[in-house]
Amino acid sequence: FTVDNLPLHLTHVDSFEINLNAEELSKKLTDTLEGQKIIKTVALEDEYYGPEKDILVTPLELTPDLFKLQMQMINILQKEGAVFKNPQFVGEYFTPHISVYGDRRVNPGDPVSIRDISLSSKVSDDENANRRVLASFIFR
């Protein structure tokens, strides 16, 4: 998919490089995420992110369950030698949010249910690069 049809999403782990192929990484994530329950949170007041503070986002409440999920994924990736492109957004610096895409958005106060995670890949570091989903993990 392209940036024009990018679905509303929460990035749990920003870009990283790892010496595992998609199947190997998918297997490790499957083992870790097995039995993961749906995570409920709420949308907070809009903020502007980015170096120029010009990207409108809707932050999400960082619940203990949401933080635990992020740390589980970070721990797997670190154990496998992942190099994070933006380590300033990892672990204690994780700030869950959903970007606003025109009229496609989550409104402040809306309940948000995290029901699945997708492992995706971009063809380059360009923000407008096409992305493809390598694997999806559905929560119960």
Side-chain angles (χ1 to χ4, degrees), residues 20-37:
L20 290 177
N21 64 40
E23 285 182 6
E24 293 169 325
L25 181 53
S26 179
K27 171 73 171 112
K28 291 186 180 299
L29 288 171
T30 297
D31 291 346
T32 299
L33 298 173
E34 186 175 340
Q36 176 64 50
K37 304 280 189 234

Side-chain angles (χ1 to χ4, degrees), residues 9-132:
H9 66 280
L10 161 62
T11 300
H12 293 275
V13 180
D14 199 15
S15 298
F16 60 89
E17 292 183 20
I18 194 166
N19 288 326
L20 290 177
N21 64 40
E23 285 182 6
E24 293 169 325
L25 181 53
S26 179
K27 171 73 171 112
K28 291 186 180 299
L29 288 171
T30 297
D31 291 346
T32 299
L33 298 173
E34 186 175 340
Q36 176 64 50
K37 304 280 189 234
I38 293 170
I39 295 174
K40 295 185 183 284
T41 186
V42 66
L44 304 174
E45 291 300 316
D46 290 345
E47 293 185 20
Y48 284 92
Y49 282 15
E52 306 298 320
K53 301 289 186 209
D54 60 348
I55 300 170
L56 183 61
V57 303
T58 307
L60 301 177
E61 179 184 357
L62 181 55
T63 66
D65 288 338
L66 185 53
F67 183 73
K68 179 181 174 188
L69 173 65
Q70 202 246 4
M71 289 308 301
Q72 286 175 306
M73 291 184 287
I74 294 299
N75 289 338
I76 293 168
L77 295 170
Q78 286 177 329
K79 183 178 175 184
E80 296 299 328
V83 176
F84 299 100
K85 179 180 174 188
N86 294 300
Q88 69 270 24
F89 303 131
V90 172
E92 65 184 279
Y93 308 109
F94 177 49
T95 55
H97 62 278
I98 299 175
S99 294
V100 175
Y101 298 102
D103 62 347
R104 295 181 301 131
R105 61 165 300 143
V106 174
N107 293 301
D110 283 352
V112 175
S113 294
I114 299 166
R115 300 175 180 279
D116 61 83
I117 290 181
S118 294
L119 175 62
S120 64
S121 174
K122 289 196 303 185
V123 295
S124 76
D125 282 339
D126 181 342
E127 188 57 36
N128 295 317
N130 287 349
R131 295 155 174 85
R132 66 185 178 111

